[in-house]
Structures are given as structure tokens and as C-alpha cells.
Amino acid sequence: MSRKQFIESHGASCKNWTWSWSFVNEEQKFVIFGQWSPDADGRQKPIMSEKWKSKANTSGANQTSRISPGYTQALEHLALIEQGYQLKTFPIERGTTDEGTPRIKSFTPQLTDRELRKQGADWYADNLPIAHDQPLAEEVPHPERYVEGALATIAINRYERSGEARIKCLEAKGYRCTICKFDFEKVYGKEGKGYIHVHHLVPLSEIKQTYQVDPVRDLIPVCPNCHAMLHRGNGMTVSELREVLTKNSKQRKTSL
């Protein structure tokens, strides 16, 4: 599959397939950029930079530079992301031509949702905030599918979680704890934005089979404290934990 075929298979396009490095799907409102593999020391590479504005023109006696049309188009696509379009990236490996000019050596036909970040003269594609959570034994991300329940062994046996199902749950229900209503962004500001755990209402260890999860019906957002209490001992249901919170809250008010 060529890069053009891959991009078009996702309904995206560009102004020119020769010089474009960003693409847009207007109907579904997302933008695609290639994501260069990290440096040897692990440093993240930008998806766009102000340094890429000019393209050398070596024809004729005088060397001049002109604004790259790919750069102009990329700026337009970045503006769409700032207006609400989703940023998606696919991995690309860096190579060079015989003249030493950077080129795409290969790419991986896989899109991942990202968050745009501007730092100095560069734009970066970061993991979504919800992907920054450290996975728990009962919450292991797996973004390729919604199917859940496949047993994996990583030091201890644990059940795979669907990262995409988690995203769909939070899109529908938000980032406030379903039980105690704690909101990390409201309390911690930007540092808490997008941080929350997701709890499966029916433990996968009880299901013991692979099944299709319903992100809205089967998952709920919960803060780490409530999540820990739901799994403490033999476990509690959401309604049982709410009753505990209500009871203890009334007792504290009475003792004041």
C-alpha cells in the first residue's frame, strides 16, 4: 500500500500528493500528519516547524529560497486542529536521498489520535491526556480493538483493556468521577486536565471470555480513590460505594 492509498483509505486528501506532508478529512473533521520516529536518544521529533518554511531553489546562477507549498498547507491544517479538528498521526521512518536530502524511507499504515502542542518554533503531536495514565492491573490499554477479555501475562496475569473503548467512554461521560464527582481539572487546573480512571462495571476476571464491550454501558469514569475502593477486598458495586460515601458524609456533618 502506498502512502496515498493509505491516506485516501481514511477519506483524507491534500492539494498535491508530491509535496504535501499533511492531509485532511473535511467530512469527519480530522487532520493527518506523519510522525517521524524519535532520535537515537529518544527525543521526540516535531510534525511541523517554522524552520521548514523555505525551500531552496538552486536552479540558475543564484540560489534563492521560496515558501514551500507544503508548509503553507500544513499551517492551514494546524489552524483546523485549533478550531476543533482531531489530529491523527502515522509513524514514518526517516531516510535520505543520494544528495543528503531527508525523505520518507517507510511508513506504518496505522493512525493514532494525538494532541497538538506548540513549543517554540515547533509543533508536536503528543499522546492524548487520558493515555498518560499509568495502567493498573485491571486497566491495560489496547487501542486497536474494542474486544476485551483476552488474557495476557506481564509479570502477573491481567486482562487486556481496550484503549479505544476508554476514549469512547470518556467522550460520552466526561472526566468527573461518577461516584464522588471529583474533577481533576477543576481542582488542579491544566495539570489535571484529562486525568481520570475508567472502571469496568463487570470485572473481566468474572467474565473469563472475550466479548464486545459497550463503552457507554459497561464503563464509567472514576477517580483513583473511588476506583481503589471499588476493588478493595471482595469489591463493591457503584451503588454500594455511593451509600458508604453518603453515610459517612452525614456522620461527619453530625459530629461537627
Side-chain angles (χ1 to χ4, degrees):
M1 176 185 291
S2 68
R3 185 182 60 150
K4 178 180 179 182
Q5 290 171 330
F6 168 63
I7 297 298
E8 289 184 329
S9 72
H10 290 279
S13 189
C14 60
K15 294 179 180 178
N16 184 292
W17 291 102
T18 301
W19 47 252
S20 295
W21 66 75
S22 60
F23 316 89
V24 62
N25 181 318
E26 295 284 3
E27 182 178 353
Q28 298 182 33
K29 298 187 183 303
F30 64 79
V31 169
I32 301 174
F33 274 84
Q35 176 75 70
W36 293 107
S37 56
D39 289 327
D41 59 3
R43 288 184 303 176
Q44 183 183 8
K45 290 181 178 292
I47 60 170
M48 170 67 170
S49 175
E50 293 175 3
K51 306 182 186 94
W52 303 347
K53 180 177 182 179
S54 299
K55 182 176 181 180
N57 179 11
T58 57
S59 60
N62 298 321
Q63 291 190 0
T64 60
S65 62
R66 60 185 176 83
I67 297 177
S68 165
Y71 177 88
T72 302
Q73 177 181 251
L75 284 181
E76 295 172 357
H77 290 165
L78 291 174
L80 291 176
I81 296 170
E82 293 172 352
Q83 295 168 19
Y85 280 50
Q86 176 63 53
L87 169 63
K88 296 177 182 287
T89 66
F90 62 96
I92 51 177
E93 292 290 332
R94 188 183 183 92
T96 56
T97 63
D98 294 338
E99 294 78 22
T101 304
R103 68 175 181 84
I104 296 177
K105 179 180 179 181
S106 62
F107 75 96
T108 302
Q110 176 180 320
L111 291 183
T112 302
D113 288 348
R114 301 294 188 188
E115 181 178 63
L116 185 66
R117 170 174 60 91
K118 177 80 185 301
Q119 181 175 328
D122 300 323
W123 286 265
Y124 293 88
D126 291 342
N127 290 333
L128 293 175
I130 58 176
H132 294 165
D133 298 349
Q134 292 297 319
L136 305 178
E138 70 276 4
E139 184 179 11
V140 184
H142 195 313
E144 287 83 8
R145 56 186 182 274
Y146 280 20
V147 175
E148 298 203 356
L151 191 63
T153 301
I154 305 178
I156 59 172
N157 285 337
R158 64 190 188 182
Y159 284 86
E160 290 182 346
R161 286 282 181 177
S162 166
E164 187 68 20
R166 172 191 170 91
I167 292 173
K168 295 299 181 182
C169 165
L170 296 177
E171 286 178 347
K173 299 181 179 181
Y175 295 84
R176 188 172 69 164
C177 178
T178 303
I179 298 170
C180 71
K181 309 305 179 185
F182 189 86
D183 188 319
F184 279 88
E185 183 177 8
K186 183 177 291 186
V187 176
Y188 295 103
K190 65 178 182 179
E191 296 300 327
K193 182 179 180 180
Y195 183 81
I196 197 71
H197 284 191
V198 167
H199 174 67
H200 203 293
L201 294 174
V202 180
L204 296 179
S205 57
E206 293 182 8
I207 297 171
K208 297 186 184 298
Q209 64 180 4
T210 299
Y211 77 109
Q212 195 80 9
V213 66
D214 183 322
V216 177
R217 181 194 63 202
D218 298 336
L219 306 177
I220 59 170
V222 292
C223 71
N225 286 345
C226 287
H227 202 182
M229 292 298 101
L230 288 169
H231 288 280
R232 185 175 175 83
N234 293 325
M236 282 189 284
T237 65
V238 171
S239 58
E240 288 172 342
L241 184 54
R242 283 193 182 124
E243 289 178 6
V244 169
L245 283 176
T246 301
K247 177 181 178 182
N248 291 338
S249 178
K250 289 180 178 178
Q251 290 178 347
R252 287 196 301 271
K253 291 179 179 179
T254 303
S255 62
L256 293 177

